[in-house]
Amino acid sequence: MAPIRLPTSNFDFHAIRSEFRLREAFSDDALAEASSPVDRYEHDREDRTDIPLVTIDPPGSMDLDQAVHIERLTSGFVVHYAIADVGALVIPGGALDSETRERGQTYYLPDGSVPLHPRVLSEGSASLLPNEARAAALWRIELDSDGEAVAWTVGRAMVRSVARLDYAGVQADVDAGTPHPSIAALAEFGALRAQAALLRGSIDITLPEQEVVPDGHSWRVELQGRTDVDTWNAEVSLLTGMCAARIMLDARVGILRTLPTASKDALATLRTTADTLGIEWPEGASAGAVLAGLPSAAPETLAMMTEATGLLRGADYAAFDGDVPNLTDHAGIGAPYAHVTAPLRRLSDRYATEVCLAVVADTEIPAWARTALPDLPAVMRASDSTASKVDRACIDLTEATMLARRVGEEFGALVLRGAEGKRDAEVFLDDPIVIGKCTGEPPEGEKVTVRLTVADTDSRRIEFSYDSP
């Protein structure tokens, strides 16, 4: 079927920007600071431009926070992970510092981002662009032959990326047996780390994500599946965040990303869903192990993964200085974890990285970083909530516009969730790609026919109905 063209009227993501008060413009003072950044640690950096680091990001990305190099040894691996040293470039208490605290993070919309930092910094002088010497917090993590971290450290360095790669290109190179030399060990490393994650009891929900993409002069929704390279590369970031959490917990100061253990009710609901879908749950197997063993292309897997999102509720941030919080683990990861790998795009990473750098160097944590810790959880909660709502609003608007002229039509759909209590069922259409609520009682995990009853672009709401045969 040819792509459905969307009408241009009443289809403007700028309205969503206004609704959520997203402002790209920075003050003149903040722009001036970003345009002429000074590396406060220029003379304290180790020159590690000898490490042939590479970046892996979506095509066209310019705000490059991370660069990686993985070396395979007879005893295991050595991972070097360079993170843009934003804390060295932003003036504490300055205009830019103040504005980033108001924003919290970069917001992504289909027609462009609303950045945490001015682009001259985040896509220029601080970005780990190829063939440019850049200030970085350089992690060195040693792993044994099973992929378990045995030693780690972080320090300020000058680094240089030798290539800007993207996920699809790296995947194609791996499939062809010609990976970039700097990440030739990524596949083996990633597979070992994924296995270690299951042993920790982690829960990885591999739902394909909806994404609004250009379609000529209009927009449509596509599903963005996750490649093996996405998973392996994410393991590098997760590993680094786990090492950072350990450093901060040992020092009894820092900020963690936390998630409580899934409730008994959520696990019971997931087990019921597995029974309904005919999915085997071996005695003693964890939810993460069951999910990891599901066939990726099966419709039952999509339904099971959708229900499993109920296991990962209650994510939060925990700042501490002296007394360690009661909850330190992230149940989805199966270990303590901290955000430190995306400081160009997420505010808290700058502060957590600064704590780690000071602790490892056995120096005083800068007052600007330490005194800000108590305020960061609230800032990040608010910005995470806004980011989630903005993402959902953009998808909802696109879906409603795609279907606005098709109310009353019938569609084939997969039932992701059955109705339960006051909760309507949720269905997935693959042509066009839409996820929406459905009245009636469609059977979970089965393919059914539904009728579109609501497609309102003003409220960004769509709804389907199901009539039992």
Side-chain angles (χ1 to χ4, degrees):
M1 173 182 268
I4 298 171
R5 299 291 173 180
L6 309 182
T8 56
S9 61
N10 299 322
F11 191 66
D12 189 353
F13 296 115
H14 289 290
I16 293 175
R17 282 178 166 81
S18 298
E19 178 180 340
F20 291 96
R21 299 180 181 178
L22 303 183
R23 177 174 57 88
E24 176 160 356
F26 288 82
S27 69
D28 291 342
D29 288 343
L31 278 174
E33 292 177 8
S35 298
S36 303
V38 176
D39 180 3
R40 299 194 304 282
Y41 300 93
E42 179 182 2
H43 301 296
D44 300 325
R45 294 190 185 280
E46 183 181 7
D47 185 349
R48 294 313 313 267
T49 54
D50 59 303
I51 304 173
L53 299 156
V54 299
T55 59
I56 309 174
D57 290 273
S61 295
M62 294 293 288
D63 51 349
L64 310 182
D65 295 280
Q66 316 121 2
V68 63
H69 179 272
I70 303 177
E71 183 180 3
R72 183 67 165 98
L73 306 176
T74 55
S75 58
F77 304 84
V78 172
V79 174
H80 281 100
Y81 206 36
I83 308 300
D85 193 357
V86 182
L89 303 179
V90 175
I91 301 171
L96 179 56
D97 184 22
S98 176
E99 291 199 32
T100 57
R101 291 201 199 194
E102 293 176 2
R103 294 169 185 247
Q105 62 186 277
T106 296
Y107 300 96
Y108 294 93
L109 293 90
D111 56 352
S113 63
V114 179
L116 174 62
H117 303 89
R119 298 185 196 281
V120 66
L121 182 80
S122 62
E123 299 182 0
S125 58
S127 179
L128 303 183
L129 297 168
N131 305 314
E132 298 286 348
R134 288 290 187 261
L138 181 62
W139 289 85
R140 185 183 189 276
I141 305 173
E142 299 177 27
L143 302 98
D144 63 21
S145 57
D146 294 324
E148 291 290 350
V150 294
W152 50 86
T153 189
V154 61
R156 285 194 154 95
M158 189 63 68
V159 302
R160 179 182 287 111
S161 167
V162 299
R164 177 170 57 184
L165 309 177
D166 61 65
Y167 294 103
V170 173
Q171 187 68 60
D173 289 343
V174 170
D175 293 343
T178 58
H180 192 285
S182 296
I183 49 172
L186 178 63
E188 185 182 4
F189 161 87
L192 286 172
R193 290 300 300 170
Q195 182 61 37
L198 288 180
L199 295 176
R200 293 193 309 268
S202 71
I203 300 172
D204 186 16
I205 298 177
T206 53
L207 276 171
E209 295 183 358
Q210 287 179 288
E211 182 178 359
V212 179
V213 299
D215 181 22
H217 296 294
S218 192
W219 306 90
R220 69 175 186 275
V221 178
E222 285 187 353
L223 282 186
Q224 299 298 320
R226 190 163 69 169
T227 66
D228 289 337
V229 169
D230 285 89
T231 302
W232 302 333
N233 192 53
E235 289 293 345
V236 182
S237 184
L238 291 172
L239 169 66
T240 307
M242 291 166 64
C243 293
R246 193 70 268 158
I247 289 171
M248 290 187 283
L249 283 170
D250 289 346
R252 305 179 71 85
V253 57
I255 179 169
L256 304 177
R257 188 72 165 122
T258 62
L259 181 73
T261 302
S263 69
K264 292 181 180 180
D265 287 346
L267 283 168
T269 298
L270 187 63
R271 282 183 174 273
T272 300
T273 296
D275 289 342
T276 300
L277 300 175
I279 294 172
E280 183 179 359
W281 193 311
E283 183 69 26
S286 67
V290 172
L291 295 171
L294 297 177
S296 59
E300 295 84 2
T301 297
L302 192 57
M304 186 72 167
M305 290 288 184
T306 300
E307 192 62 61
T309 58
L311 303 179
L312 304 181
R313 290 178 180 157
D316 203 356
Y317 297 84
F320 57 101
D321 193 347
D323 293 328
V324 173
N326 293 328
L327 177 61
T328 61
D329 276 9
H330 189 292
I333 295 169
Y337 172 70
H339 280 158
V340 291
T341 63
L344 290 173
R345 293 169 284 165
R346 193 170 48 214
L347 179 69
S348 60
D349 298 43
R350 185 200 315 168
Y351 297 86
T353 294
E354 202 66 36
V355 172
C356 291
L357 285 165
V359 170
V360 170
D362 195 22
T363 60
E364 285 292 322
I365 298 169
W368 64 262
R370 194 163 202 155
T371 57
L373 290 176
D375 298 328
L376 290 177
V379 174
M380 296 312 302
R381 285 184 208 114
S383 65
D384 282 350
S385 176
T386 298
S388 177
K389 291 174 182 177
V390 167
D391 184 56
R392 189 67 251 171
C394 291
I395 293 171
D396 287 347
L397 175 59
T398 306
E399 289 179 334
T401 309
M402 290 167 68
L403 295 171
R405 298 174 181 173
R406 305 184 70 178
V407 173
E409 289 188 32
E410 292 186 339
F411 299 86
L414 171 68
V415 184
L416 298 178
R417 278 193 178 120
E420 182 179 339
K422 295 182 179 180
R423 185 189 76 184
D424 287 330
E426 190 173 62
V427 296
F428 167 72
L429 279 60
D430 63 6
D431 190 10
I433 293 171
V434 166
I435 295 175
K437 292 182 178 181
C438 183
T439 60
E441 296 186 2
E444 187 169 76
E446 294 191 16
K447 293 183 177 180
V448 299
T449 298
V450 297
R451 185 183 302 278
L452 178 65
T453 56
V454 177
D456 181 55
T457 56
D458 291 335
S459 63
R460 301 191 294 263
R461 187 170 71 93
I462 59 171
E463 190 173 288
F464 300 88
S465 65
Y466 168 78
D467 295 322
S468 301

